[in-house]
Amino acid sequence: MGDQKEALSRITNTLAMKNEEISNFICALKQSLDNLEVNSNRVQEDLESEFSSLHSVLDEMKENMLTRIKQERASRTYELQSQLSACSKALESSEELLEVANQTLCSSETDGFTQAAKDIKDSVTMAPAFRLSLKVKASDNMSHLIVDFSQEREMLQGLKFLPVPATPEIQVSECQVCDNTVTVVWTLLEPDSKIDHYILEHRRTNHEGPPRIREDYPWMVVEGIREMVHTLTGLRFDTRYMTFRVRACNKAVAGEFSEPVTLETHAFTFKLDAASAHQNLKVEDLSVEWDSSGGKIQDIRKEKNRTSSPMHSPARSALMSPKRAPTARPGRDRFTAESYTVLADTMIDAGQHYWEVRFDKESKAFAVGVALRSLGRFDQLGKSNASWCIHLNNWLQQSLSAKHNNKARTLECPIPNSIGVYINHDEGVLSFYNAKTKQLMHTFKTKFQQPVIPAFMVWNGSFSVVTGLQVPSVVQSSQRKNSGTSSSNASLT
């Protein structure tokens, strides 16, 4: 009966997952239909607007060219009519003078002939007909204003929709995820010299499959990429995956997005468990500040899928296990007395993990390390066999030491502004690094028989934690190099 129930439960889970997949696909289809309607209307409006603009340009050019023809005709008409009027008046005057001359010649009177001939001669000399230019001032040829739009007509007949760039394809095998950076590589099926740039979009997600309509995180856009490769740096991996898509753009239009590709971005993430914090510590998300007033109840921020005690394993998270580890004691007591401590809300029971903490170097005291869940509420970090830490002391003189089981070793290294913490639970290795230079400060080598939890202490100071970090490659290299060396804390174990 139990086997049958288990088999039926698996079938039920498979069916539920398939139903969710189909539901997401239906939502995607409906969204595509809506997008198709919107995009079709948009391009139709754009087309009508472009043709309207083209018609406006042609009408304006036609009006300008007609105006020029009219002005040219008016100007030449004025010149020719003026010349015609002047010639007509000159001809009329000349004909009158010719008639007078003929009359004088035909006259039989001799007394006034000499004077009349002289007067006619003077009149002919001053006659307008002899001062006129008989060259046409304006041509009647208008051929310089003839048009031939055959070439333009061919261009208009050649109008077509803009060429859309080909769709890129992301090469998953060549993409890399390392040191909180992601390098995405893509190709085109055929070279396209008209491509101007690419647009890369990425989105965080906790789902391995294709993008869902309802995602918790928006697409982030990177524009102006000139090559078919791009590296995103300085990322915080606070989700299990990142989804990527890319499209090509020419000078005028963008092509279709590539098929989305999901890459795993697993890293160690946690919050600070405000319920465990000493009352003198003001906890806000991943930051802690000393509060000298003390005694005030801190606000406990309950997060989705988390409780007030450290019981979520990153090793199990990587396997997508819904189970939680049992708490050491439900609703654990706050640290008190001189244990100014706060724990993380996530335990480590397997694997390699890394996180960093930035602290105020002027703090009277500060410590960072790991602890067992059984660490007592009065226990200070490093003063029992349930915790390992690096401790900064500014009380009388500044010193840095490694502490475990109430034993300490002074560290002869510069005090950094931030410390990187590396743990390999399976190998029993806990190392501390200068977070900026990645210089090794100290390594504990032990055997973790139980899960451990990131632990922090501060007195008269402050600190902030950076999670979502992968183990840096330089740290991994350092660990491989030092794996064969002897323990660096034989006196502390």
Side-chain angles (χ1 to χ4, degrees):
M1 184 69 176
D3 293 341
Q4 292 178 340
K5 283 188 174 181
E6 184 177 353
L8 182 59
S9 177
R10 288 197 298 268
I11 293 174
T12 302
N13 290 336
T14 301
L15 183 59
M17 293 177 63
K18 176 57 69 174
N19 289 346
E20 182 181 7
E21 183 179 351
I22 295 174
S23 297
N24 288 330
F25 185 65
I26 289 174
C27 290
L29 288 176
K30 290 181 178 179
Q31 186 66 50
S32 295
L33 285 171
D34 292 340
N35 291 343
L36 177 62
E37 184 70 19
V38 171
N39 292 335
S40 298
N41 291 336
R42 177 177 57 81
V43 295
Q44 182 174 339
E45 290 174 359
D46 290 345
L47 180 65
E48 292 176 351
S49 175
E50 286 295 326
F51 269 97
S52 176
S53 176
L54 189 59
H55 288 152
S56 298
V57 171
L58 290 174
D59 289 340
E60 183 179 356
M61 291 183 64
K62 176 183 176 182
E63 190 64 30
N64 290 338
M65 296 177 79
L66 286 174
T67 299
R68 183 179 175 186
I69 292 175
K70 292 176 181 178
Q71 290 175 343
E72 187 81 7
R73 181 178 62 184
S75 174
R76 294 191 183 192
T77 299
Y78 175 78
E79 289 289 340
L80 291 174
Q81 286 182 344
S82 297
Q83 192 174 19
L84 177 60
S85 176
C87 288
S88 298
K89 290 180 179 180
L91 180 59
E92 182 180 355
S93 175
S94 180
E95 287 178 344
E96 290 178 355
L97 185 60
L98 179 59
E99 184 178 354
V100 171
N102 287 332
Q103 290 177 358
T104 303
L105 287 173
C106 294
S107 175
S108 57
E109 297 180 3
T110 58
D111 294 340
F113 180 81
T114 302
Q115 185 61 41
K118 183 177 181 303
D119 291 341
I120 292 173
K121 180 181 178 183
D122 292 340
S123 296
V124 170
T125 302
M126 300 298 297
F130 293 95
R131 290 183 284 113
L132 281 176
S133 171
L134 298 182
K135 183 179 180 180
V136 179
K137 290 185 176 181
S139 173
D140 58 355
N141 188 352
M142 296 287 283
S143 59
H144 65 292
L145 296 179
I146 293 177
V147 296
D148 179 9
F149 290 150
S150 57
Q151 185 176 355
E152 288 77 3
R153 190 178 297 108
E154 289 180 3
M155 290 179 59
L156 290 175
Q157 291 172 343
L159 290 178
K160 56 185 178 181
F161 295 105
L162 290 171
V164 178
T167 302
E169 181 180 354
I170 296 178
Q171 302 298 314
V172 180
S173 61
E174 298 183 30
C175 297
Q176 294 184 349
V177 180
C178 180
D179 290 339
N180 285 84
T181 67
V182 179
T183 298
V184 185
V185 181
W186 59 90
T187 58
L188 291 171
L189 293 180
E190 295 182 0
D192 187 347
S193 60
K194 294 183 179 180
I195 290 179
D196 180 69
H197 65 277
Y198 298 90
I199 295 176
L200 176 68
E201 293 189 357
H202 58 92
R203 179 165 66 184
R204 294 177 292 164
T205 180
N206 284 308
H207 304 281
E208 185 176 7
R212 297 143 51 100
I213 296 298
R214 304 181 187 92
E215 286 284 359
D216 297 329
Y217 301 95
W219 287 104
M220 307 302 291
V221 181
V222 182
E223 297 182 324
I225 302 173
R226 302 295 178 181
E227 305 294 333
M228 289 190 289
V229 58
H230 186 73
T231 300
L232 298 169
T233 61
L235 301 173
R236 276 193 60 198
F237 294 155
D238 52 2
T239 56
R240 295 189 63 230
Y241 303 96
M242 287 182 69
T243 302
F244 298 86
R245 63 185 186 183
V246 64
R247 61 178 173 178
C249 304
N250 56 30
K251 293 290 186 180
V253 67
E256 294 289 336
F257 276 110
S258 65
E259 284 295 320
V261 167
T262 299
L263 302 178
E264 186 174 8
T265 55
H266 178 65
F268 184 42
T269 61
F270 61 84
K271 300 290 185 182
L272 295 178
D273 182 14
S276 71
H278 190 285
Q279 289 186 346
N280 282 110
L281 301 183
K282 182 180 179 182
V283 180
E284 292 187 2
D285 195 19
L286 288 171
S287 298
V288 174
E289 185 176 355
W290 170 266
D291 183 3
S292 60
S293 60
K296 296 182 179 179
I297 302 300
Q298 305 285 341
D299 292 332
I300 301 175
R301 298 187 173 183
K302 295 182 178 180
E303 297 230 337
K304 193 176 182 180
N305 297 329
R306 293 187 184 269
T307 67
S308 60
S309 297
M311 58 183 186
H312 176 61
S313 166
R316 290 184 174 85
S317 173
L319 300 176
M320 297 184 67
S321 171
K323 296 181 179 180
R324 302 285 187 178
T327 59
R329 52 187 176 221
R332 69 160 294 146
D333 297 329
R334 291 180 181 276
F335 289 97
T336 189
E338 294 183 355
S339 181
Y340 304 111
T341 304
V342 59
L343 300 179
D345 66 349
T346 305
M347 73 179 188
I348 300 171
D349 59 4
Q352 303 178 59
H353 307 284
Y354 179 85
W355 63 97
E356 294 180 355
V357 57
R358 301 166 184 165
F359 57 94
D360 179 7
K361 294 172 69 173
E362 300 301 320
S363 302
K364 291 298 182 182
F366 168 77
V368 57
V370 298
L372 302 180
R373 291 182 297 158
S374 59
L375 183 68
R377 62 194 296 254
F378 294 95
D379 292 342
Q380 299 180 35
L381 292 185
K383 289 195 174 184
S384 71
N385 62 359
S387 61
W388 299 257
C389 73
I390 276 187
H391 184 273
L392 170 68
N393 185 6
N394 271 329
W395 180 238
L396 296 177
Q397 61 181 6
Q398 192 175 68
S399 64
L400 192 65
S401 58
K403 289 187 174 183
H404 170 64
N405 201 18
N406 207 24
K407 297 178 181 178
R409 168 178 287 183
T410 301
L411 302 181
E412 302 296 336
C413 63
I415 298 175
N417 293 317
S418 58
I419 294 175
V421 184
Y422 165 83
I423 184 171
N424 186 332
H425 189 277
D426 302 331
E427 299 294 331
V429 175
L430 175 65
S431 296
F432 299 86
Y433 288 84
N434 181 318
K436 182 177 181 181
T437 65
K438 298 301 184 289
Q439 179 183 359
L440 180 63
M441 300 169 62
H442 185 76
T443 295
F444 290 100
K445 293 186 178 179
T446 183
K447 290 184 179 180
F448 297 116
Q449 303 292 345
Q450 303 176 38
V452 295
I453 311 162
F456 310 87
M457 184 279 294
V458 68
W459 176 42
N460 281 329
S462 62
F463 67 87
S464 61
V465 183
V466 181
T467 69
L469 302 178
Q470 295 182 307
V471 179
S473 56
V474 64
V475 170
Q476 291 180 334
S477 177
S478 170
Q479 290 297 318
R480 287 192 296 268
K481 182 178 179 181
N482 296 328
S483 60
T485 61
S486 60
S487 173
S488 60
N489 64 311
S491 62
L492 302 181
T493 56

